[in-house]
Amino acid sequence: MGGSVKDVESKEELDSVVLQGAPVILHFWASWCEASKHMDQVFSHLSTDFPHAVFFRVEAEEQPVISEAYSVSAVPYFVFFKIPLTSLMPLVAYPIIVNAVALLLPQEPAVGMATTISATIAPSYHTEHFSARLRPSNSYCSDGKSVDTMEGADPSALANKVAKVAGSINPGEAAAPASLGMAAGPTILETVRELSKENGASQVESQLPSGLTDTLKIRLQKLIESQPVMLFMKGSPEDPKCGFSRKVVEILREEKIKFGSFDILIDNEVREGLKKLSNWPTFPQLYCKGELLGGCDIAIAMHESGELKEVFRDHGIETSDDSNEAKATEPESGNGGISDSTGLSVTLTSRLASLINSSPVMLFMKGKPDEPRCGFSRKVVEILQQEKVEFMCFDILSDDEVRQGLKVYSNWSSYPQLYIKGELIGGSDIVLEMQKSGELRRVLAEKGITQKETLEDRLKNLINSSPTMLFMKGTPDAPRCGFSSKVVDALKAENVSFSSFDILTDEEVRQGLKVFSNWPTFPQLYYKGELIGGCDIIMELRNNGELKSTLSE
């Protein structure tokens, strides 16, 4: 089976292969997801270079039982197995047992797994009777090699993880990364080549520093920020020492971008330290205004799509041909706001002002919060989410008039741009610095922007709103299911005073509480903020005469 990718037809088929003890890698994908299709090509190429491992493809929406077993909520998603035989039985037996129990449960229309996977992925049995806690855990094995997972389209990380579980089967036999071909991307080629020729990933990891000293961090940061565009490469632009570095140099020259470079072959401390700092295992590494853009494969893709030119343009990186033009079009005002010589029409000026003031916190970004189209936008979204701030956004990629006009209006040449109460705060670097110093939180407070209540905060407040709190279907006077009715009767029989919440009236609470409590069904009874259990446990406590005492301790 090695050297090819096989589509999994059933959970039983997967379990039988895992039982054999060979390294197994699963790729959960969806036909509608472009990232899945790209990563599937990478996955197929890796299967050729690691023929001793078993590569399985799982169409997430067509195999709901397998997807549920590994808590798949987004694609592409990868699961990695390398399991000692002594540890196999708990891993395989538990899902099989629970699946068997599930067949005995009531058949009802299912609730969708997650927002990023369509509702058709849900199993045919009632999901409230079946916990998604079948995700394999390292608790089954003590050697740390049993299971790993990866979510998202990251070719380098995938190659790295595959090498960890599959690269050390025959230490003396190196893989043949040339078989990957250019479709897999140069970064993958280099990653697989470097990792597969080592005696397991542990040796590669042992070469990396366990941590970075403050002195080295400062040195690396200064190097990264020494030029607006900085390339860490093997060799020099005039004499590259590897094909990947040469290709990125050619791309930057085609883009007519001035850039600095550093030869990582002459300084091993920088070479190894930068891998750790950037969490990027290969070279070259390309940075723009201090932010990592990626390696050779990403630079090629961005160059071919035109995105690289946009990134440089949006961050004020001048090219050799249009530097004079860029200076001529800069607004004359140096303090932000509207320049007297902007030349913007009254209509566009009015539209931009309206957009900026459409929300107390307004972010102009590339893409959307749930799908950012550049790392700088992603960083600002993460910061706002960490600060628990409600905000609106505008995708500047969807409207070039707004994109170009706002640069002049705000006298700010790049994106993202963050506004609070109509005032420009800045881009990703400024927002990050303000968050680190606490200035962002202070500005938000001064502007009257309060932190929004998260779902976790709301659930905690509901649970603690009464000493004895019952989350049920319906109300105590009109229960909507037999299990809820039984618990209500038990509490009333014991003269227990309690409050309740009808989970049928609020889907967010209903689904959120399952995750928060790690309890998949309702009703759920809490006492002083602690989960007591569901219907079966309450009935058992009552029959044993322990319910009253449990709820009065």
Side-chain angles (χ1 to χ4, degrees):
M1 185 177 292
S4 63
V5 179
K6 180 175 172 29
D7 291 304
V8 177
E9 300 298 333
S10 68
K11 183 70 166 61
E12 290 72 24
E13 177 188 12
L14 173 60
D15 292 337
S16 67
V17 174
V18 171
L19 273 170
Q20 298 172 17
V24 177
I25 300 98
L26 305 183
H27 174 205
F28 290 87
W29 72 291
S31 59
W32 45 262
C33 178
E34 289 302 319
S36 284
K37 295 176 182 177
H38 171 68
M39 291 302 290
D40 192 53
Q41 293 180 5
V42 177
F43 193 66
S44 297
H45 290 303
L46 287 171
S47 73
T48 302
D49 274 9
F50 294 94
H52 300 290
V54 180
F55 288 75
F56 274 143
R57 184 190 295 110
V58 183
E59 189 163 2
E61 295 181 351
E62 298 299 322
Q63 297 290 343
V65 173
I66 303 176
S67 299
E68 183 83 0
Y70 298 104
S71 302
V72 179
S73 60
V75 292
Y77 189 85
F78 301 87
V79 180
F80 307 83
F81 295 89
K82 187 176 183 181
I83 309 172
L85 289 175
T86 55
S87 305
L88 287 173
M89 288 310 296
L91 177 66
V92 177
Y94 182 55
I96 293 175
I97 292 170
V98 178
N99 284 339
V101 172
L103 296 176
L104 303 177
L105 298 172
Q107 304 291 308
E108 295 183 26
V111 179
M113 278 185 64
T115 56
T116 50
I117 296 290
S118 74
T120 60
I121 195 173
S124 58
Y125 46 82
H126 198 314
T127 53
E128 289 185 2
H129 292 291
F130 182 51
S131 170
R133 291 178 292 170
L134 304 185
R135 188 175 197 157
S137 165
N138 283 339
S139 61
Y140 290 113
C141 306
S142 60
D143 66 355
K145 298 180 182 177
S146 58
V147 174
D148 196 1
T149 61
M150 189 191 99
E151 180 179 312
D154 188 337
S156 295
L158 177 60
N160 204 333
K161 288 179 180 289
V162 168
K164 286 182 180 180
V165 299
S168 59
I169 297 176
N170 293 322
E173 182 180 329
S179 65
L180 286 169
M182 286 305 293
T187 298
I188 306 164
L189 297 178
E190 185 176 350
T191 301
V192 176
R193 180 185 291 111
E194 291 183 355
L195 294 178
S196 61
K197 69 183 179 183
E198 299 289 343
N199 182 14
S202 59
Q203 291 189 15
V204 177
E205 291 174 346
S206 66
Q207 296 170 3
L208 296 178
S210 58
L212 297 174
T213 64
D214 290 339
T215 302
L216 180 55
K217 285 182 181 178
I218 292 172
R219 184 188 175 202
L220 293 174
Q221 205 61 50
K222 285 183 176 179
L223 281 172
I224 290 170
E225 297 174 355
S226 62
Q227 295 290 333
V229 178
M230 189 67 186
L231 177 65
F232 292 84
M233 62 180 291
K234 294 181 179 179
S236 64
E238 295 75 23
D239 185 22
K241 297 298 186 183
C242 80
F244 309 119
S245 295
R246 178 180 294 105
K247 184 62 180 177
V248 176
V249 169
E250 291 173 356
I251 287 173
L252 292 174
R253 287 174 173 169
E254 286 181 31
E255 296 281 351
K256 299 176 181 177
I257 294 297
K258 297 178 182 178
F259 65 97
S261 69
F262 185 92
D263 182 1
I264 53 97
L265 297 179
I266 66 174
D267 194 318
N268 197 58
E269 183 183 49
V270 170
R271 178 177 185 170
E272 299 302 330
L274 202 58
K275 294 179 184 179
K276 199 76 172 178
L277 182 70
S278 64
N279 194 26
W280 195 269
T282 61
F283 291 96
Q285 294 182 15
L286 180 63
Y287 293 78
C288 176
K289 291 291 184 74
E291 292 291 333
L292 175 66
L293 295 183
C296 183
D297 58 335
I298 290 179
I300 291 172
M302 293 179 70
H303 173 61
E304 291 177 348
S305 68
E307 180 69 13
L308 189 60
K309 188 181 297 293
E310 291 182 0
V311 168
F312 289 146
R313 182 182 65 193
D314 288 343
H315 286 82
I317 307 299
E318 294 182 353
T319 65
S320 58
D321 279 355
D322 62 8
S323 57
N324 292 331
E325 179 182 350
K327 290 179 180 177
T329 57
E330 287 181 352
E332 296 175 1
S333 170
N335 299 317
I338 304 176
S339 167
D340 293 336
S341 59
T342 60
L344 297 178
S345 68
V346 174
T347 301
L348 179 55
T349 299
S350 176
R351 184 186 178 203
L352 294 173
S354 177
L355 282 171
I356 289 171
N357 291 281
S358 60
S359 173
V361 180
M362 188 69 189
L363 177 63
F364 292 84
M365 62 179 289
K366 292 183 177 181
K368 301 175 182 178
D370 56 351
E371 193 177 353
R373 298 289 297 277
C374 80
F376 306 108
S377 294
R378 179 180 292 107
K379 178 171 288 186
V380 176
V381 168
E382 290 173 352
I383 289 172
L384 293 175
Q385 290 174 341
Q386 290 166 7
E387 296 292 332
K388 300 179 181 179
V389 174
E390 289 191 44
F391 65 97
M392 289 182 61
C393 72
F394 185 91
D395 181 3
I396 54 96
L397 297 179
S398 67
D399 193 317
D400 197 59
E401 183 183 47
V402 170
R403 178 177 186 169
Q404 303 305 329
L406 195 59
K407 294 179 185 179
V408 179
Y409 183 98
S410 64
N411 192 21
W412 196 268
S413 62
S414 63
Y415 290 98
Q417 294 183 17
L418 179 66
Y419 294 78
I420 298 179
K421 290 291 183 73
E423 179 182 343
L424 175 64
I425 300 301
S428 61
D429 292 344
I430 290 178
V431 175
L432 177 60
E433 188 61 34
M434 290 179 67
Q435 186 198 34
K436 289 180 178 179
S437 67
E439 180 72 8
L440 180 60
R441 187 165 296 180
R442 184 186 66 78
V443 169
L444 290 167
E446 288 179 352
K447 299 287 187 178
I449 309 298
T450 58
Q451 292 185 337
K452 67 177 180 180
E453 183 183 50
T454 65
L455 178 57
E456 182 176 353
D457 293 335
R458 186 183 177 205
L459 294 175
K460 287 180 179 178
N461 291 334
L462 282 171
I463 289 170
N464 291 284
S465 62
S466 174
T468 304
M469 187 68 188
L470 176 65
F471 292 85
M472 61 180 291
K473 293 182 179 180
T475 65
D477 297 329
R480 298 287 297 277
C481 81
F483 303 114
S484 295
S485 180
K486 283 184 178 182
V487 174
V488 168
D489 291 343
L491 293 173
K492 288 181 176 179
E494 297 291 339
N495 294 318
V496 174
S497 176
F498 67 97
S499 298
S500 67
F501 184 92
D502 181 3
I503 55 99
L504 297 179
T505 64
D506 195 315
E507 188 67 15
E508 183 182 53
V509 170
R510 179 178 186 172
Q511 300 303 330
L513 201 58
K514 294 179 186 180
V515 178
F516 179 84
S517 64
N518 197 22
W519 195 269
T521 61
F522 291 97
Q524 294 182 17
L525 182 65
Y526 293 80
Y527 179 64
K528 292 186 176 179
E530 296 292 330
L531 175 65
I532 302 300
C535 180
D536 291 345
I537 291 177
I538 303 306
M539 292 300 101
E540 183 178 351
L541 289 172
R542 182 193 177 190
N543 294 337
N544 294 338
E546 300 174 357
L547 183 59
K548 183 75 173 180
S549 60
T550 299
L551 300 179
S552 59
E553 292 177 350

